[in-house]
């Protein structure tokens, strides 16, 4: 099909990040299509304002993350994409071996750009960048719960310093005083930038200013917050925002693989609110004492008034313990695979509404379910939309919740938003 390509072609390093970005752009009036995995020849990238490719590249080896991101960028550029956006987590989620720096460097090389911006700020969720340091609420990133993350423990809040350990591309800072002077001042600062400019942002108004300054940049990088200001740069059809597809109304369940503090609070609130709980113990999984069939039977037999909650979420000491026993990656992979198999079993038994907690966990479950395209549905909490997938002709509603997102009662309150 001829016609213009997407205004924005985004590559997200995990699935919940992609849905969060999809929501931000849809709210900005864009028609948004989310594609799971590197696009291939059969993927239709035309006829939308924004295409978001969601990868599961946050914690894979850097060379693989670069290869997948490059392949996605090539497909997006070949479809006529005006601006590429590399989306990563608002808590950065990238250690010294991590992928953000290498992927930015590769996308700069691919687009021939010698400058771009990096801004993970998401003030609505308490993530702000000040003088190059990332804060989570009132704490530096390195003093927040992220220091105990199972896969990407964050021990440095200084983003330029962290990026310099990941890439040879020069990294500089555009600080809040320049941002507050306005988008013209940011553009001036960008003119003299070679490489990656980390940009301070404390409030949404800062992100709008940065978004306006990013007009014409071939490559933008950041959290979904920086996308707040991007739709305004393009001539959008006012009637064009995404339609919400048919909403399913079958059985509901929560699958939680996140050990982030917010998810742990949400699990407690769900159990206290009467959700039937099935705790997944890594030792029981490894020994075969717990199988997917146990969890599927538990959910299927649970009384219908509250959705069952199947969770591996555990406190930092328990996570450390199972990581020492099985290895960090192996423990994560074992649980992700388990939850994927549970999701398949539940879908086959009429569960067509699921809240999934955890970025990696969501990616694993979407892959297990074989879902490749998602439409944006109603928003539950900031950054957490319902997404409607088409599975063999039947709609399935999936809320893909990044571990640290969502109100404490989200496992109880999410369902009301679907109607
Ligand atoms: P978040 O969005 O909070 O970062 P993720 O799903 O991305 O959550 O990552 C959490 C990782 O921790 C997953 O790989 C998950 O399988 C793993 N995990 C969950 N529970 C445990 C546990 N009890 N011990 C060790 N690892 C765990």
């Amino acid at each position: 099909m001829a016609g213009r390509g997407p205004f924005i072609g985004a590559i997200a390093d995990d699935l919940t990040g992609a849905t969060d970005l999809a929501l931000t752009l849809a709210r900005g009036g864009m028609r948004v299509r989310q594609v799971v995995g590197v696009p291939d020849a059969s993927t239709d990238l035309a006829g939308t304002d924004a295409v978001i490719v969601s990868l599961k590249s946050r914690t894979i080896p850097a060379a693989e993350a670069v290869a997948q991101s490059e392949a996605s960028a090539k497909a997006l550029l070949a479809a006529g994409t005006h601006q590429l956006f590399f989306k990563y987590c608002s808590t950065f989620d990238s250690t010294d071996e991590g992928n953000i720096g290498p992927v930015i460097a590769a996308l700069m090389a691919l687009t021939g750009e010698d400058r771009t911006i990096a801004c993970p700020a998401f003030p609505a969720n308490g993530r702000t960048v000040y003088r190059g340091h990332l804060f989570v609420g009132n704490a530096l990133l390195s003093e927040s719960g992220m220091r105990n993350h199972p896969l990407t423990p964050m021990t440095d809040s200084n983003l330029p310093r962290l990026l310099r350990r990941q890439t040879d591309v020069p990294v500089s800072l555009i600080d809040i005083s320049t941002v507050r002077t306005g988008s013209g001042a940011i553009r001036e600062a960008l003119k003299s930038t070679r490489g990656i400019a980390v940009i301070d942002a404390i409030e949404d108004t800062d992100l709008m200013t940065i978004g306006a300054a990013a007009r014409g940049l071939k490559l933008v990088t950041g959290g979904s917050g920086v996308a707040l200001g991007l739709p305004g740069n393009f001539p959008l059809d006012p009637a064009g925002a995404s339609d919400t597809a048919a909403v399913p109304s079958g059985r509901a369940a929560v699958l939680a693989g996140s050990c982030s503090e917010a998810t742990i609070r949400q699990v407690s609130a769900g159990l206290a609110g009467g959700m039937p709980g099935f705790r997944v113990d890594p030792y029981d999984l490894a020994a075969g004492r717990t199988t997917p069939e146990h969890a599927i039977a538990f959910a299927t037999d649970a009384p219908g008034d509250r959705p069952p909650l199947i969770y591996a979420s555990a406190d930092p000491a328990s996570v450390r313990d199972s990581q020492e026993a099985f290895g960090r990656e192996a423990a994560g992979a074992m649980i992700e695979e388990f939850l994927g198999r549970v999701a398949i079993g539940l879908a086959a038994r009429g569960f067509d509404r699921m809240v999934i907690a955890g970025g990696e966990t969501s990616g694993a479950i979407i892959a297990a379910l074989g879902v490749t395209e998602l439409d944006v549905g109603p928003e539950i909490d900031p950054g957490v939309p319902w997404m409607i997938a088409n599975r063999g002709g039947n709609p399935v509603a999936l809320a893909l919740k990044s571990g640290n997102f969502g109100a404490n009662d989200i496992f109880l309150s999410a369902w009301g938003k679907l109607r």
Side-chain angles (χ1 to χ4, degrees):
M1 166 169 62
R4 69 160 174 79
F7 292 127
I8 295 177
I11 299 161
D13 69 353
D14 89 335
L15 195 78
T16 49
T19 55
D20 171 17
L21 176 61
L23 186 65
T24 304
L25 294 175
R27 256 197 258 116
M30 293 188 127
R31 290 167 304 150
V32 185
R33 180 172 308 149
Q34 188 172 328
V35 175
V36 182
V38 178
D40 60 27
S42 69
T43 315
D44 182 8
L45 300 176
T48 59
D49 298 318
V51 174
I52 300 164
V53 175
S54 64
L55 300 178
K56 195 173 182 305
S57 58
R58 182 169 295 170
T59 55
I60 63 177
E64 279 173 45
V66 164
Q68 290 185 20
S69 305
E70 279 178 339
S72 304
K74 281 181 189 159
L76 290 166
L77 292 171
T81 291
H82 296 222
Q83 185 171 58
L84 281 181
F85 186 100
F86 173 42
K87 156 73 177 72
Y88 38 83
C89 190
S90 60
T91 46
F92 220 64
D93 290 24
S94 197
T95 60
D96 288 359
E97 293 72 45
N99 301 342
I100 293 179
V103 170
I104 296 177
L107 295 180
M108 289 177 74
L110 187 76
T111 51
E113 288 282 278
D114 61 2
R115 75 206 62 177
T116 188
I117 60 171
C119 184
F122 191 167
N125 274 333
R127 279 67 154 150
T128 55
V129 182
Y130 179 69
R131 308 265 168 203
H133 288 72
L134 180 54
F135 287 80
V136 178
N138 292 328
L140 282 165
L141 175 69
S142 54
E143 292 167 19
S144 76
M146 285 304 296
R147 72 188 179 282
N148 296 317
H149 190 278
L151 304 175
T152 49
M154 299 306 297
T155 55
D156 191 358
S157 312
N158 183 320
L159 298 177
R161 190 165 62 198
L162 178 53
L163 277 169
R164 282 184 201 115
R165 289 199 295 268
Q166 293 186 339
T167 177
D168 294 336
V169 171
V171 185
S172 55
L173 174 66
I174 296 179
D175 69 17
I176 192 69
S177 56
T178 305
V179 172
R180 295 274 161 101
T181 307
S183 50
I186 299 174
R187 252 186 240 121
E188 275 309 307
L190 276 172
K191 271 190 202 152
S192 54
T193 296
R194 287 279 167 281
I196 304 167
V198 170
I199 301 199
D200 282 351
I202 299 173
E203 293 175 358
D204 282 355
T205 48
D206 300 323
L207 294 170
M208 297 302 286
T209 309
I210 293 167
R215 180 187 214 127
L217 278 186
K218 193 77 197 162
L219 174 66
V220 176
T221 87
S224 62
V226 83
L228 280 177
L230 296 179
N233 293 335
F234 300 101
L236 301 177
D237 175 353
S242 298
D243 296 326
T244 301
V247 170
S249 55
R251 294 197 68 180
V254 176
L255 302 178
S258 161
C259 299
S260 295
E261 288 174 354
T263 301
I264 290 179
R265 285 196 298 274
Q266 290 155 355
V267 169
S268 299
L271 297 174
M275 294 174 76
F278 185 99
R279 192 174 74 85
V280 182
D281 179 324
Y283 285 92
D284 288 342
L285 279 191
R289 286 188 295 269
T290 296
T291 65
E293 289 67 36
H294 292 138
I296 294 162
F298 174 85
T300 311
D301 297 342
D305 52 338
R306 291 269 190 283
L309 165 57
I310 297 167
Y311 62 101
S313 317
D315 59 42
S318 313
V319 170
R320 258 193 311 279
D321 176 67
S322 45
Q323 290 183 333
E324 274 161 24
F326 306 109
R328 176 186 291 188
E329 269 83 31
M334 177 173 71
I335 292 162
E336 289 174 27
E337 199 210 321
F338 172 84
L339 291 175
R341 288 169 61 186
V342 172
I344 293 173
L346 292 182
R349 286 165 183 75
F351 285 78
D352 60 12
R353 296 177 295 149
M354 297 185 217
V355 172
I356 301 169
E360 295 294 320
T361 304
S362 293
I365 290 178
I366 284 289
L369 289 174
V371 166
T372 55
E373 286 192 23
L374 295 151
D375 291 337
V376 184
E379 185 172 16
I380 305 167
D381 278 322
V384 193
W386 277 109
M387 301 292 286
I388 314 295
N390 182 328
R391 222 176 150 247
N394 299 314
V396 181
L398 302 168
L400 310 171
K401 190 192 81 68
S402 175
N404 263 318
F405 282 12
N408 284 353
D409 68 347
I410 189 169
F411 295 160
L412 296 159
S413 65
W415 320 100
K417 305 282 165 66
L418 262 182
R419 280 272 149 228

